[in-house]
Structures are given as C-alpha cells and as structure tokens.
C-alpha cells in the first residue's frame, strides 16, 4: 500500500469495518460521513484489501479528503475529512 505521508490526524469519529467485505466498508463509511458535519474527520478500519481502491476513488469522486492511509498486518486504516 502506498502510504499518504504526514502525521496521523486526529479524528472525530471511528468506524470499525473489520471482517466486512466489499462494498460494506465503503457503504458504512458513507453512512457515518452523512452523520458528521463538514470538516469532521472519520477514521475507518477495514480488513478487505479491496478497500484501498474503494476509499481512494470514493474520496476523489465525492470531494472528501483522504488525509492518511496505512496498512499493517492486513489491517487497513483511512482518515477521511468530510467535504
């Protein structure tokens, strides 16, 4: 995984989508982002390797900022700032 560099940002909400397969991690993240105000940061934890592609494309298409992403031992973490 290519890591988006910089410090790990603080987050306002966290979603654990571990064990869920595509497209559920992304769908749950979209629902959680809908509950948050603009500018809030959501941290998502996922175990589906396909989430890498999904979260990058989702952030780009929806206008959200993918602030940071990391992978460790099959656990993927994403920090998204809501547009």
């Amino acid at each position: 995984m290519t890591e988006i560099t910089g410090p790990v940002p603080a987050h306002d909400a966290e979603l654990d989508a571990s064990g869920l397969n595509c497209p559920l991690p992304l769908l749950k993240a979209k629902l959680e982002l809908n509950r948050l105000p603009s500018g809030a940061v959501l941290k998502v934890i996922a175990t589906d390797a396909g989430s890498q592609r999904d979260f990058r494309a989702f952030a780009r298409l929806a206008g959200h900022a993918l602030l940071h992403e990391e992978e460790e031992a099959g656990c993927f973490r994403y920090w998204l700032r809501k547009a």
Side-chain angles (χ1 to χ4, degrees):
M1 171 187 257
T2 302
E3 184 172 314
I4 295 176
T5 58
V8 175
H11 55 279
D12 301 294
E14 184 172 317
L15 171 67
D16 187 353
S18 299
L20 300 177
N21 293 322
C22 182
L24 289 177
L26 184 60
L27 291 175
K28 288 189 173 283
K30 287 171 71 172
L31 290 173
E32 187 65 24
L33 282 169
N34 286 341
R35 296 182 341 95
L36 297 173
S38 182
V41 176
L42 173 65
K43 176 184 176 184
V44 181
I45 302 165
T47 51
D48 181 13
S51 66
Q52 293 174 294
R53 176 194 64 247
D54 293 344
F55 278 94
R56 290 173 186 167
F58 169 66
R60 186 177 61 253
L61 294 171
H64 304 305
L66 181 57
L67 302 175
H68 189 81
E69 63 178 281
E70 59 188 34
E71 187 269 340
E72 181 180 341
C75 183
F76 304 90
R77 290 179 288 279
Y78 308 96
W79 285 259
L80 294 158
R81 175 171 287 128
K82 183 177 178 178

